[in-house]
Every structure is written in C-alpha cells, then in structure tokens.
Amino acid sequence: AQKITQTQPGMFVQEKEAVTLDCTYDTSDQSYGLFWYKQPSSGEMIFLIYQGSYDEQNATEGRYSLNFQKARKSANLVISASQLGDSAMYFCASFMNRDDKIIFGKGTRLHILP
Amino acid sequence: EADIYQTPRYLVIGTGKKITLECSQTMGHDKMYWYQQDPGMELHLIHYSYGVNSTEKGDLSSESTVSRIRTEHFPLTLESARPSHTSQYLCASSELDGFSYNEQFFGPGTRLTVL
C-alpha cells in the first residue's frame, strides 16, 4: 500500500528565510503524482503544487518549488522567502493511478516567526 | 477558482441526532470525496464517488453513508451522531481522468461537535 511520511511534526522558521518541508513516499508503481496542500487555521485545504512521476523537471509555482528526487522517493516542498502568512499546516500527498485514490501524510505545522 | 461548497460550516448537536452534511460543486466534476480530519491530524478518506449512482468506501471505516443522485451533490449522513463522530469533514472534487492526476478542489469543511 502506498504511504506518505512527513518526519517534521512542527517547524519554526524566521520570516524571509527559505524553508524545506520533507516528504518521502513509498510505492512500487511507475505512474503516480505527488503534491502539497496548505491548511491554514481556518481549515480549508489549499492546493499548492503538483509533480508527476514522469515529469523530468521540478515543479515550481511562484515561491513554491518541489524538490523531486525519484530515486530517493522524496518530494520535499521548498518555500522561498517565507512570509508570516505561510504559517499553516502542510500536507504532502500522493496519487497512484493503480489505486485511484489520494493518500495524505500526517502533516507538518510550520510557524513563521517575525 | 474552486466552486465547492459545504454547509453547515459549524454544527454542534446532541447524541443520537440524525445529521446530513451537504456538499455541492458547480464545476461539473465527476469524482467527489469525503475526508475526516481530527484537529492537527492527517486526512482520512471515508467515502468517494466516480459519478452519479457511484459510491465507494474509503480507507477509514465510517458509520456515515453517502449518496450521489446528482453530479453536483454529494451529501454525507450520520443516522445517529455520537461524540466519537466529532471531527472536521472535508469534501473535495476532481475531474474524472483514468490516467493522470487531476487537482482535488476542497470545500471549506464542516466542523462537527457531538455532545
């Protein structure tokens, strides 16, 4: 069964610094997708970024980039120039075509300090 | 912009009551999902649907039931609410694509408290 591991339950980062949120996944499938969601304290889930397993380049969306290392099965989220509004819970998730479902990690709570 | 709605946003109710959490989307998406999330914890898939008259149970066993009579509507029902059902319930939808992933759009969630 597919599994997502986020090893950082919480992180504190100074404003304007870059931050890397770790995510590893476990699959034997060749075709899959990986992505990150942000969940502020208000509770809604905000889609941030997506990486397909066949994509050769790392995905980028504004200040967000996904450091995709296929051989290591890792898909770390990098946030450049962090802002106070980045304080939230961040979930890594995977989609396996075989299972046709999305599995979420346990999340990392990010705190940006002024 | 995502157009997926959930009502109510907050619900406090007594044990034994029957409740229905509403979820509607205006994007014409075939796939819809319900997730249960305890505070500060991961999301657990409890139900999903591929389209009208399709419902499937997710990875987390749930006493709730769902129906999909219309494409845009995917309500979740608890026949007899209990304190253990206290949680946040998130609805999501995506396009039906059998090969590649399509982004899931989430509703704002319903925070349910059962006393």
Side-chain angles (χ1 to χ4, degrees):
Chain A
Q2 55 177 308
K3 183 181 177 182
I4 294 287
T5 302
Q6 294 181 252
T7 58
Q8 307 151 309
M11 287 185 68
F12 290 83
V13 174
Q14 206 68 40
E15 188 181 10
K16 298 181 184 177
E17 290 184 354
V19 56
T20 298
L21 305 181
D22 296 340
C23 173
T24 57
Y25 57 94
D26 184 13
T27 181
S28 55
D29 285 16
Q30 298 300 311
S31 179
Y32 53 89
L34 299 152
F35 43 98
W36 283 86
Y37 279 88
K38 173 184 178 182
Q39 187 178 44
S41 57
S42 53
E44 74 268 29
M45 294 287 282
I46 302 169
F47 174 84
L48 294 179
I49 197 166
Y50 167 73
Q51 178 88 41
S53 58
Y54 294 114
D55 296 339
E56 294 185 352
Q57 290 191 330
N58 288 342
T60 59
E61 289 286 347
R63 293 187 299 114
Y64 304 108
S65 61
L66 199 151
N67 185 2
F68 182 45
Q69 299 191 33
K70 198 170 182 177
R72 295 184 180 181
K73 294 186 178 178
S74 75
N76 298 340
L77 177 71
V78 180
I79 306 174
S80 63
S82 58
Q83 302 170 357
L84 295 178
D86 294 334
S87 293
M89 195 78 165
Y90 288 80
F91 290 97
C92 180
S94 68
F95 173 85
M96 308 293 165
N97 286 333
R98 176 171 52 84
D99 288 339
D100 202 25
K101 291 183 290 186
I102 291 175
I103 301 297
F104 287 84
K106 292 183 183 296
T108 295
R109 184 166 295 282
L110 177 64
H111 303 269
I112 304 299
L113 304 172
Chain B
E1 185 176 321
D3 293 307
I4 180 164
Y5 310 97
Q6 289 185 247
T7 56
R9 291 291 312 276
Y10 302 91
L11 179 62
V12 181
I13 202 164
T15 297
K17 299 291 186 182
K18 177 180 178 179
I19 59 171
T20 296
L21 308 184
E22 301 289 347
C23 176
S24 296
Q25 50 94 5
T26 59
M27 296 171 282
H29 286 169
D30 288 306
K31 294 183 76 172
M32 297 189 74
Y33 314 81
W34 276 103
Y35 293 89
Q36 184 175 342
Q37 183 188 27
D38 292 332
M41 304 296 287
E42 70 265 44
L43 280 73
H44 293 288
L45 181 67
I46 51 175
H47 299 284
Y48 61 103
S49 167
Y50 288 110
V52 172
N53 294 326
S54 155
T55 60
E56 303 286 343
K57 289 192 178 297
D59 300 316
L60 180 68
S61 176
S62 174
E63 294 168 346
S64 59
T65 59
V66 292
S67 62
R68 191 87 183 274
I69 299 173
R70 303 197 317 265
T71 298
E72 62 271 22
H73 195 212
F74 191 40
L76 180 145
T77 299
L78 277 165
E79 290 293 331
S80 180
R82 294 207 302 270
S84 60
H85 297 140
T86 295
S87 189
Q88 171 162 256
Y89 293 84
L90 288 160
C91 181
S93 72
S94 67
E95 294 179 6
L96 181 63
D97 187 323
F99 183 73
S100 63
Y101 164 72
N102 286 285
E103 175 188 344
Q104 282 197 356
F105 294 91
F106 281 83
T110 294
R111 292 183 192 261
L112 173 66
T113 302
V114 184
L115 304 175

